[in-house]
Amino acid sequence: MKTKTFFLLSTLVIFLILSIVSSCKKDDNDNGNDNELKKFTISFKDGYIFDYAWVIINSPDGNTVIDYKKVEGNVNLDFGKIDEESITVTTINVDTSFLNGQERKYIFINSYLTSPLGDWVLKGGNTNNQILGSADLTMTYPNGIYNEYTIGTSNSWYSSHVVPNDQINEQFDVYNLDAGNKFSIYGAVLNDNGGYCNWLIDQNFQLNTTNNYELELNESLDVKNAFSNRPLNYIYLLGCWNQRNSQLLLYNQMNLNTASGGEHFHDIIYPFNIPISELYFEGSYYDNNIEYSFGKFYNMSQGLPDQIDIPEIGISASYNETNDEITNIQIDGTADQIDGFWFYFYNSDISRFIIYWNVYADVNYSSIKRPVLPQEIINNIGENINMLEAFYIEIIDFNTTSNHNEIINRFFIDDIPDMQLCDECFFSTYLLNQTKNTNINFNERRMHKILNLR
């Protein structure tokens, strides 16, 4: 979109000269530019699509289907000229598999109400289902009594409260590497005074074999005392470098049984001298039927601040079951976007079927509902699509945007690296029915949503 804008500005003089020669030519050029600006294309990259997907475009209110297409793999779709100033876009991503004799089907649906036209790009999380090799890690450390050991890698995170006296050996398959097939490891043993740690950054990794690593935990862990203006049940701290594309989980803390329901004072344990460029802090808290989560990047040279201020923005709403509509949406403060979430879950010994449907809109919407789908897609998904139930409404706020359209432009149209899309983000979620057993791991959902922002 930026390139097109530059092109229009740089050729403005030419258009003015041509207008003097022939008004007809000017009209033709204007119509051509109008057609270009009213086009809608969508590209899928980096394995965004699982088995297959649908793309549906509706009228801005979502009540009328304009066009739809079925797609597989990394592909570019061109819907051509759209006779609307804005559209509602829905993507349906279908993932099926078999595990231990159980058929599993997951359907992920995202709808974006009244959104800008243009060239959209949706990127996958670069998740790999194939084993790239394995790692054999041996960690040694001073004799002592430790409460926990942790291992963070480019691939995943390990933790245990059972700590051997002086040595740990772990073997694990590796599915994901950093750029250039590099592999990084962080290890720590924790006690009441901090503990010991060490790291291996950007190590070579030989594919399709076992890679041996040794890590002597001889670096003292530091303790950062921080205060948050809201109590937090969950805290995560990641170390980031390589323009945030490389990450290691350095610390996590869960306080589920505290008397106050959460803590304001936190001892965050991590090494102040680890050679990375940024820290990513995330804290979340669940209170009655509201869950909020806050994420922010901090410069490593400055470290975490003494006080972490989390926005105090709330949201509430009602659910009209007759119309299947989330209504009476009220926001206490300012935000960029709202997200209504519908959910269906079925599980038995032979099959599992889950549908997630998020509907995103600008904060000026006082009610939202799911867009209309073509009958062919309804037939493809099956009757379970009629069993969805509204689960929550939430607000979304980024420091780099100010409304729903800006989020669409920045996240889907502008060419901005994924982990640089924002420096700070905030979510506040109001559960519409807090008594339902939805089988959603709220914590895992939140981490995925913040760290994989597209």
Side-chain angles (χ1 to χ4, degrees), residues 22 47 60 73 112 141 154 160 162 168 173 194 219 224 244 266 279 296-297 331 339 347 370 381 386 443:
S22 171
Y112 307 91
Y141 41 88
S154 304
S160 175
V162 179
I168 294 169
D173 293 328
E219 296 281 345
K224 175 63 183 182
R244 303 178 182 173
H266 315 283
L279 294 168
K296 186 171 183 177
F297 288 94
I331 299 173
D339 168 23
N347 191 41
R370 294 180 281 122
I381 295 174
N386 298 317
N443 191 49

PDB file of all heavy atoms in Angstrom, residues 22 47 60 73 112 141 154 160 162 168 173 194 219 224 244 266 279 296-297 331 339 347 370 381 386 443:
ATOM      1  N   SER A  22      -5.988  16.504 -22.563  1.00  0.00           N
ATOM      2  CA  SER A  22      -7.230  15.771 -22.828  1.00  0.00           C
ATOM      3  C   SER A  22      -7.908  15.403 -21.531  1.00  0.00           C
ATOM      4  O   SER A  22      -7.368  14.642 -20.739  1.00  0.00           O
ATOM      5  CB  SER A  22      -6.923  14.498 -23.641  1.00  0.00           C
ATOM      6  OG  SER A  22      -8.070  13.701 -23.727  1.00  0.00           O
ATOM      7  N   GLY A  47       2.952 -21.324   5.447  1.00  0.00           N
ATOM      8  CA  GLY A  47       2.139 -22.394   6.016  1.00  0.00           C
ATOM      9  C   GLY A  47       0.968 -21.922   6.835  1.00  0.00           C
ATOM     10  O   GLY A  47       0.558 -22.605   7.787  1.00  0.00           O
ATOM     11  N   PRO A  60     -20.089  -4.787   4.109  1.00  0.00           N
ATOM     12  CA  PRO A  60     -19.526  -4.299   5.375  1.00  0.00           C
ATOM     13  C   PRO A  60     -20.256  -4.788   6.620  1.00  0.00           C
ATOM     14  O   PRO A  60     -19.621  -5.065   7.642  1.00  0.00           O
ATOM     15  CB  PRO A  60     -19.614  -2.780   5.230  1.00  0.00           C
ATOM     16  CG  PRO A  60     -19.551  -2.539   3.755  1.00  0.00           C
ATOM     17  CD  PRO A  60     -20.272  -3.690   3.130  1.00  0.00           C
ATOM     18  N   GLY A  73      -2.609 -24.479   0.561  1.00  0.00           N
ATOM     19  CA  GLY A  73      -1.193 -24.129   0.526  1.00  0.00           C
ATOM     20  C   GLY A  73      -0.934 -22.641   0.440  1.00  0.00           C
ATOM     21  O   GLY A  73      -1.813 -21.805   0.655  1.00  0.00           O
ATOM     22  N   TYR A 112     -13.241 -10.194   9.960  1.00  0.00           N
ATOM     23  CA  TYR A 112     -12.835  -8.804  10.158  1.00  0.00           C
ATOM     24  C   TYR A 112     -13.916  -7.911   9.554  1.00  0.00           C
ATOM     25  O   TYR A 112     -14.019  -7.771   8.337  1.00  0.00           O
ATOM     26  CB  TYR A 112     -11.474  -8.545   9.512  1.00  0.00           C
ATOM     27  CG  TYR A 112     -10.416  -9.532   9.955  1.00  0.00           C
ATOM     28  CD1 TYR A 112     -10.189 -10.715   9.239  1.00  0.00           C
ATOM     29  CD2 TYR A 112      -9.663  -9.310  11.109  1.00  0.00           C
ATOM     30  CE1 TYR A 112      -9.235 -11.630   9.656  1.00  0.00           C
ATOM     31  CE2 TYR A 112      -8.700 -10.220  11.533  1.00  0.00           C
ATOM     32  CZ  TYR A 112      -8.497 -11.373  10.798  1.00  0.00           C
ATOM     33  OH  TYR A 112      -7.555 -12.293  11.220  1.00  0.00           O
ATOM     34  N   TYR A 141      26.179 -28.093  37.453  1.00  0.00           N
ATOM     35  CA  TYR A 141      26.008 -26.917  38.308  1.00  0.00           C
ATOM     36  C   TYR A 141      26.530 -27.255  39.706  1.00  0.00           C
ATOM     37  O   TYR A 141      26.716 -28.442  40.060  1.00  0.00           O
ATOM     38  CB  TYR A 141      24.527 -26.515  38.376  1.00  0.00           C
ATOM     39  CG  TYR A 141      23.570 -27.668  38.481  1.00  0.00           C
ATOM     40  CD1 TYR A 141      23.212 -28.208  39.710  1.00  0.00           C
ATOM     41  CD2 TYR A 141      23.039 -28.244  37.323  1.00  0.00           C
ATOM     42  CE1 TYR A 141      22.347 -29.290  39.807  1.00  0.00           C
ATOM     43  CE2 TYR A 141      22.180 -29.328  37.409  1.00  0.00           C
ATOM     44  CZ  TYR A 141      21.828 -29.842  38.638  1.00  0.00           C
ATOM     45  OH  TYR A 141      20.976 -30.923  38.719  1.00  0.00           O
ATOM     46  N   SER A 154      15.298 -22.821  21.346  1.00  0.00           N
ATOM     47  CA  SER A 154      14.621 -22.313  20.150  1.00  0.00           C
ATOM     48  C   SER A 154      13.399 -23.150  19.829  1.00  0.00           C
ATOM     49  O   SER A 154      12.523 -22.723  19.068  1.00  0.00           O
ATOM     50  CB  SER A 154      15.571 -22.323  18.953  1.00  0.00           C
ATOM     51  OG  SER A 154      16.747 -21.603  19.222  1.00  0.00           O
ATOM     52  N   SER A 160      11.019 -28.535  35.721  1.00  0.00           N
ATOM     53  CA  SER A 160      10.716 -29.586  36.679  1.00  0.00           C
ATOM     54  C   SER A 160      11.118 -29.125  38.075  1.00  0.00           C
ATOM     55  O   SER A 160      12.102 -28.392  38.245  1.00  0.00           O
ATOM     56  CB  SER A 160      11.455 -30.881  36.330  1.00  0.00           C
ATOM     57  OG  SER A 160      11.239 -31.864  37.327  1.00  0.00           O
ATOM     58  N   VAL A 162      11.770 -31.416  40.341  1.00  0.00           N
ATOM     59  CA  VAL A 162      12.652 -32.483  40.810  1.00  0.00           C
ATOM     60  C   VAL A 162      14.037 -32.226  40.221  1.00  0.00           C
ATOM     61  O   VAL A 162      14.256 -32.400  39.020  1.00  0.00           O
ATOM     62  CB  VAL A 162      12.122 -33.872  40.383  1.00  0.00           C
ATOM     63  CG1 VAL A 162      13.066 -34.968  40.860  1.00  0.00           C
ATOM     64  CG2 VAL A 162      10.713 -34.093  40.915  1.00  0.00           C
ATOM     65  N   ILE A 168      22.111 -32.647  35.034  1.00  0.00           N
ATOM     66  CA  ILE A 168      20.853 -32.961  34.352  1.00  0.00           C
ATOM     67  C   ILE A 168      21.166 -33.318  32.911  1.00  0.00           C
ATOM     68  O   ILE A 168      21.953 -32.630  32.246  1.00  0.00           O
ATOM     69  CB  ILE A 168      19.878 -31.766  34.384  1.00  0.00           C
ATOM     70  CG1 ILE A 168      19.437 -31.471  35.818  1.00  0.00           C
ATOM     71  CG2 ILE A 168      18.666 -32.026  33.499  1.00  0.00           C
ATOM     72  CD1 ILE A 168      18.702 -30.163  35.968  1.00  0.00           C
ATOM     73  N   ASP A 173      13.460 -34.155  20.774  1.00  0.00           N
ATOM     74  CA  ASP A 173      13.376 -33.900  19.337  1.00  0.00           C
ATOM     75  C   ASP A 173      13.246 -32.406  19.093  1.00  0.00           C
ATOM     76  O   ASP A 173      12.665 -31.677  19.890  1.00  0.00           O
ATOM     77  CB  ASP A 173      12.176 -34.626  18.728  1.00  0.00           C
ATOM     78  CG  ASP A 173      12.338 -36.136  18.756  1.00  0.00           C
ATOM     79  OD1 ASP A 173      13.487 -36.608  18.657  1.00  0.00           O
ATOM     80  OD2 ASP A 173      11.314 -36.839  18.880  1.00  0.00           O
ATOM     81  N   GLY A 194      18.096 -17.225  44.247  1.00  0.00           N
ATOM     82  CA  GLY A 194      18.307 -16.982  42.826  1.00  0.00           C
ATOM     83  C   GLY A 194      18.692 -18.261  42.122  1.00  0.00           C
ATOM     84  O   GLY A 194      17.856 -18.955  41.552  1.00  0.00           O
ATOM     85  N   GLU A 219      26.925 -19.060  35.950  1.00  0.00           N
ATOM     86  CA  GLU A 219      26.548 -17.652  36.021  1.00  0.00           C
ATOM     87  C   GLU A 219      25.468 -17.481  37.095  1.00  0.00           C
ATOM     88  O   GLU A 219      24.473 -18.212  37.099  1.00  0.00           O
ATOM     89  CB  GLU A 219      26.004 -17.155  34.681  1.00  0.00           C
ATOM     90  CG  GLU A 219      27.004 -17.173  33.543  1.00  0.00           C
ATOM     91  CD  GLU A 219      27.957 -15.989  33.601  1.00  0.00           C
ATOM     92  OE1 GLU A 219      27.657 -15.017  34.341  1.00  0.00           O
ATOM     93  OE2 GLU A 219      28.990 -16.031  32.908  1.00  0.00           O
ATOM     94  N   LYS A 224      15.133  -9.412  39.997  1.00  0.00           N
ATOM     95  CA  LYS A 224      14.568  -8.082  39.782  1.00  0.00           C
ATOM     96  C   LYS A 224      13.292  -7.947  40.606  1.00  0.00           C
ATOM     97  O   LYS A 224      12.342  -8.716  40.430  1.00  0.00           O
ATOM     98  CB  LYS A 224      14.256  -7.861  38.298  1.00  0.00           C
ATOM     99  CG  LYS A 224      13.556  -6.539  38.007  1.00  0.00           C
ATOM    100  CD  LYS A 224      14.444  -5.350  38.368  1.00  0.00           C
ATOM    101  CE  LYS A 224      13.735  -4.037  38.158  1.00  0.00           C
ATOM    102  NZ  LYS A 224      14.600  -2.877  38.469  1.00  0.00           N
ATOM    103  N   ARG A 244      14.090  -9.488  17.171  1.00  0.00           N
ATOM    104  CA  ARG A 244      13.002 -10.180  17.880  1.00  0.00           C
ATOM    105  C   ARG A 244      12.606 -11.512  17.245  1.00  0.00           C
ATOM    106  O   ARG A 244      11.656 -12.143  17.700  1.00  0.00           O
ATOM    107  CB  ARG A 244      11.757  -9.289  18.014  1.00  0.00           C
ATOM    108  CG  ARG A 244      12.005  -7.968  18.722  1.00  0.00           C
ATOM    109  CD  ARG A 244      10.733  -7.135  18.776  1.00  0.00           C
ATOM    110  NE  ARG A 244      10.967  -5.833  19.411  1.00  0.00           N
ATOM    111  CZ  ARG A 244      10.065  -4.866  19.455  1.00  0.00           C
ATOM    112  NH1 ARG A 244       8.871  -5.053  18.926  1.00  0.00           N
ATOM    113  NH2 ARG A 244      10.343  -3.713  20.034  1.00  0.00           N
ATOM    114  N   HIS A 266       6.769  -8.594  42.716  1.00  0.00           N
ATOM    115  CA  HIS A 266       7.263  -9.759  41.995  1.00  0.00           C
ATOM    116  C   HIS A 266       8.784  -9.832  42.057  1.00  0.00           C
ATOM    117  O   HIS A 266       9.469  -8.824  41.864  1.00  0.00           O
ATOM    118  CB  HIS A 266       6.818  -9.696  40.532  1.00  0.00           C
ATOM    119  CG  HIS A 266       5.385  -9.318  40.344  1.00  0.00           C
ATOM    120  ND1 HIS A 266       4.337 -10.189  40.552  1.00  0.00           N
ATOM    121  CD2 HIS A 266       4.814  -8.129  39.998  1.00  0.00           C
ATOM    122  CE1 HIS A 266       3.193  -9.579  40.328  1.00  0.00           C
ATOM    123  NE2 HIS A 266       3.459  -8.320  39.990  1.00  0.00           N
ATOM    124  N   LEU A 279      14.060  -7.595  26.167  1.00  0.00           N
ATOM    125  CA  LEU A 279      13.268  -8.469  27.018  1.00  0.00           C
ATOM    126  C   LEU A 279      11.800  -8.282  26.651  1.00  0.00           C
ATOM    127  O   LEU A 279      11.368  -7.165  26.371  1.00  0.00           O
ATOM    128  CB  LEU A 279      13.462  -8.121  28.490  1.00  0.00           C
ATOM    129  CG  LEU A 279      14.838  -8.360  29.087  1.00  0.00           C
ATOM    130  CD1 LEU A 279      14.940  -7.683  30.447  1.00  0.00           C
ATOM    131  CD2 LEU A 279      15.130  -9.857  29.215  1.00  0.00           C
ATOM    132  N   LYS A 296       4.915  -6.262  26.820  1.00  0.00           N
ATOM    133  CA  LYS A 296       5.732  -5.105  26.444  1.00  0.00           C
ATOM    134  C   LYS A 296       7.189  -5.525  26.265  1.00  0.00           C
ATOM    135  O   LYS A 296       7.703  -6.364  27.016  1.00  0.00           O
ATOM    136  CB  LYS A 296       5.634  -4.008  27.511  1.00  0.00           C
ATOM    137  CG  LYS A 296       6.350  -2.709  27.126  1.00  0.00           C
ATOM    138  CD  LYS A 296       6.055  -1.589  28.108  1.00  0.00           C
ATOM    139  CE  LYS A 296       6.724  -0.293  27.673  1.00  0.00           C
ATOM    140  NZ  LYS A 296       6.400   0.834  28.576  1.00  0.00           N
ATOM    141  N   PHE A 297       7.840  -4.927  25.258  1.00  0.00           N
ATOM    142  CA  PHE A 297       9.259  -5.117  25.029  1.00  0.00           C
ATOM    143  C   PHE A 297      10.047  -4.043  25.771  1.00  0.00           C
ATOM    144  O   PHE A 297       9.666  -2.869  25.785  1.00  0.00           O
ATOM    145  CB  PHE A 297       9.581  -5.034  23.535  1.00  0.00           C
ATOM    146  CG  PHE A 297       9.102  -6.223  22.737  1.00  0.00           C
ATOM    147  CD1 PHE A 297       7.875  -6.191  22.099  1.00  0.00           C
ATOM    148  CD2 PHE A 297       9.886  -7.360  22.627  1.00  0.00           C
ATOM    149  CE1 PHE A 297       7.428  -7.275  21.363  1.00  0.00           C
ATOM    150  CE2 PHE A 297       9.446  -8.451  21.893  1.00  0.00           C
ATOM    151  CZ  PHE A 297       8.220  -8.408  21.264  1.00  0.00           C
ATOM    152  N   ILE A 331     -17.170  -0.018  26.833  1.00  0.00           N
ATOM    153  CA  ILE A 331     -15.734   0.008  27.111  1.00  0.00           C
ATOM    154  C   ILE A 331     -15.429   1.133  28.078  1.00  0.00           C
ATOM    155  O   ILE A 331     -15.853   2.273  27.871  1.00  0.00           O
ATOM    156  CB  ILE A 331     -14.925   0.187  25.807  1.00  0.00           C
ATOM    157  CG1 ILE A 331     -15.199  -0.983  24.857  1.00  0.00           C
ATOM    158  CG2 ILE A 331     -13.436   0.298  26.096  1.00  0.00           C
ATOM    159  CD1 ILE A 331     -14.575  -0.812  23.492  1.00  0.00           C
ATOM    160  N   ASP A 339     -13.076  -7.898  19.955  1.00  0.00           N
ATOM    161  CA  ASP A 339     -13.048  -9.246  19.413  1.00  0.00           C
ATOM    162  C   ASP A 339     -14.106 -10.075  20.125  1.00  0.00           C
ATOM    163  O   ASP A 339     -14.026 -10.308  21.332  1.00  0.00           O
ATOM    164  CB  ASP A 339     -11.651  -9.853  19.627  1.00  0.00           C
ATOM    165  CG  ASP A 339     -11.608 -11.351  19.354  1.00  0.00           C
ATOM    166  OD1 ASP A 339     -12.481 -11.839  18.609  1.00  0.00           O
ATOM    167  OD2 ASP A 339     -10.690 -12.022  19.877  1.00  0.00           O
ATOM    168  N   ASN A 347     -15.811 -33.941  22.209  1.00  0.00           N
ATOM    169  CA  ASN A 347     -14.710 -34.879  22.391  1.00  0.00           C
ATOM    170  C   ASN A 347     -15.256 -36.231  22.819  1.00  0.00           C
ATOM    171  O   ASN A 347     -16.105 -36.327  23.720  1.00  0.00           O
ATOM    172  CB  ASN A 347     -13.736 -34.359  23.453  1.00  0.00           C
ATOM    173  CG  ASN A 347     -12.449 -35.170  23.484  1.00  0.00           C
ATOM    174  OD1 ASN A 347     -11.924 -35.542  22.440  1.00  0.00           O
ATOM    175  ND2 ASN A 347     -11.957 -35.453  24.670  1.00  0.00           N
ATOM    176  N   ARG A 370     -21.805 -12.847  13.955  1.00  0.00           N
ATOM    177  CA  ARG A 370     -21.001 -13.539  12.956  1.00  0.00           C
ATOM    178  C   ARG A 370     -21.544 -13.274  11.542  1.00  0.00           C
ATOM    179  O   ARG A 370     -22.759 -13.263  11.338  1.00  0.00           O
ATOM    180  CB  ARG A 370     -20.994 -15.036  13.242  1.00  0.00           C
ATOM    181  CG  ARG A 370     -20.288 -15.382  14.534  1.00  0.00           C
ATOM    182  CD  ARG A 370     -20.281 -16.871  14.818  1.00  0.00           C
ATOM    183  NE  ARG A 370     -21.549 -17.321  15.363  1.00  0.00           N
ATOM    184  CZ  ARG A 370     -22.310 -18.249  14.834  1.00  0.00           C
ATOM    185  NH1 ARG A 370     -21.958 -18.819  13.687  1.00  0.00           N
ATOM    186  NH2 ARG A 370     -23.429 -18.622  15.402  1.00  0.00           N
ATOM    187  N   ILE A 381     -18.499 -27.654   6.460  1.00  0.00           N
ATOM    188  CA  ILE A 381     -18.153 -27.696   7.880  1.00  0.00           C
ATOM    189  C   ILE A 381     -19.041 -28.683   8.622  1.00  0.00           C
ATOM    190  O   ILE A 381     -18.593 -29.398   9.516  1.00  0.00           O
ATOM    191  CB  ILE A 381     -18.260 -26.288   8.499  1.00  0.00           C
ATOM    192  CG1 ILE A 381     -17.210 -25.354   7.862  1.00  0.00           C
ATOM    193  CG2 ILE A 381     -18.080 -26.340  10.017  1.00  0.00           C
ATOM    194  CD1 ILE A 381     -17.337 -23.924   8.315  1.00  0.00           C
ATOM    195  N   ASN A 386     -23.747 -24.794  13.618  1.00  0.00           N
ATOM    196  CA  ASN A 386     -24.947 -24.217  14.229  1.00  0.00           C
ATOM    197  C   ASN A 386     -24.964 -24.376  15.748  1.00  0.00           C
ATOM    198  O   ASN A 386     -25.903 -23.918  16.402  1.00  0.00           O
ATOM    199  CB  ASN A 386     -26.196 -24.869  13.637  1.00  0.00           C
ATOM    200  CG  ASN A 386     -26.318 -24.635  12.142  1.00  0.00           C
ATOM    201  OD1 ASN A 386     -26.085 -23.538  11.662  1.00  0.00           O
ATOM    202  ND2 ASN A 386     -26.669 -25.693  11.409  1.00  0.00           N
ATOM    203  N   ASN A 443      -4.420 -19.548  29.279  1.00  0.00           N
ATOM    204  CA  ASN A 443      -3.045 -19.075  29.322  1.00  0.00           C
ATOM    205  C   ASN A 443      -2.312 -19.338  28.010  1.00  0.00           C
ATOM    206  O   ASN A 443      -1.630 -18.472  27.475  1.00  0.00           O
ATOM    207  CB  ASN A 443      -2.331 -19.757  30.485  1.00  0.00           C
ATOM    208  CG  ASN A 443      -0.997 -19.135  30.773  1.00  0.00           C
ATOM    209  OD1 ASN A 443      -0.894 -17.934  30.887  1.00  0.00           O
ATOM    210  ND2 ASN A 443       0.004 -19.968  30.879  1.00  0.00           N
TER     211      ASN A 443
END
